[in-house]
Amino acid sequence: MTLKRVYIPAILFCLFIIEGTWMQIASSENLGFDFVLIPRFTMLIIMFVALYINVPLAVTYALVAGFLYDIIYTDFIGIYLFAMALTTYVVGQSAKILHLNAVVGTLAALVAVVVLEFLVYGLYTLIGFVDYALKPFLLERVLPSLVLNGIFWILSYLPMKKLVKKWN
């Protein structure tokens, strides 16, 4: 394995740590917001791999990241593992139908964030872990998180595109 093949896993690991730190420092309680900003930076980079490198590699990253989410951040093993891998596979394969450019990539990545949020919400609701109505979930969690993750995608798009050129 060449050194350039280590870049993306290293970036994913750093973003995974940043997400956990973000949730402690920039939580809605600490900042006084009525909404929740959920960073899905790791998922966005995994989607970048799915869109611009290949889907099976991205699903592998999603399985590992999802397992780490489950072990470190949640009480249930398998929720994020399943949701991240399924989201990566479905959105990654669906994007192959379209002519991939910056706009389509951005939309696909943002759709992935929404799908991931709904899968996790649905699974947690199914097992009775959360009792959160759909409207507040959309307005207080999904939309603000979509804005945050959209900004991250836009800021990271060109550096990641350059990294992909090195990859290939």
Side-chain angles (χ1 to χ4, degrees):
M1 179 157 66
T2 62
L3 184 60
K4 68 181 179 180
R5 305 270 181 194
V6 176
Y7 291 152
I8 292 178
I11 290 168
L12 289 172
F13 180 75
C14 290
L15 290 174
F16 180 79
I17 300 300
I18 289 169
E19 286 179 12
T21 305
W22 174 284
M23 292 307 296
Q24 292 176 1
I25 295 172
S27 67
S28 57
E29 294 86 21
N30 289 346
L31 299 178
F33 294 150
D34 291 334
F35 52 84
V36 181
L37 295 169
I38 306 294
R40 296 291 182 206
F41 306 150
T42 304
M43 184 64 190
L44 289 173
I45 299 303
I46 291 170
M47 283 311 306
F48 202 96
V49 172
L51 296 172
Y52 295 102
I53 297 175
N54 74 39
V55 175
L57 179 63
V59 170
T60 303
Y61 289 153
L63 286 168
V64 171
F67 185 66
L68 289 173
Y69 268 94
D70 286 334
I71 289 175
I72 295 171
Y73 298 131
T74 70
D75 295 329
F76 296 102
I77 302 296
I79 301 284
Y80 276 94
L81 183 136
F82 171 75
M84 288 181 80
L86 181 65
T87 301
T88 301
Y89 181 77
V90 170
V91 176
Q93 292 291 15
S94 300
K96 287 182 176 183
I97 298 169
L98 305 169
H99 176 69
L100 193 58
N101 57 36
V103 174
V104 172
T106 301
L107 291 175
L110 295 179
V111 165
V113 169
V114 172
V115 168
L116 177 64
E117 289 297 328
F118 270 101
L119 272 173
V120 171
Y121 170 74
L123 290 169
Y124 276 146
T125 302
L126 185 67
I127 61 174
F129 189 68
V130 296
D131 184 24
Y132 202 48
L134 183 61
K135 187 176 180 180
F137 170 73
L138 281 171
L139 297 176
E140 297 169 9
R141 183 178 174 124
V142 174
L143 291 178
S145 298
L146 198 57
V147 171
L148 171 69
N149 289 296
I151 291 168
F152 176 81
W153 178 269
I154 291 167
L155 293 175
S156 65
Y157 184 82
L158 288 177
M160 285 304 298
K161 194 75 171 168
K162 288 179 183 179
L163 185 62
V164 167
K165 284 183 182 179
K166 287 182 182 179
W167 182 284
N168 293 326

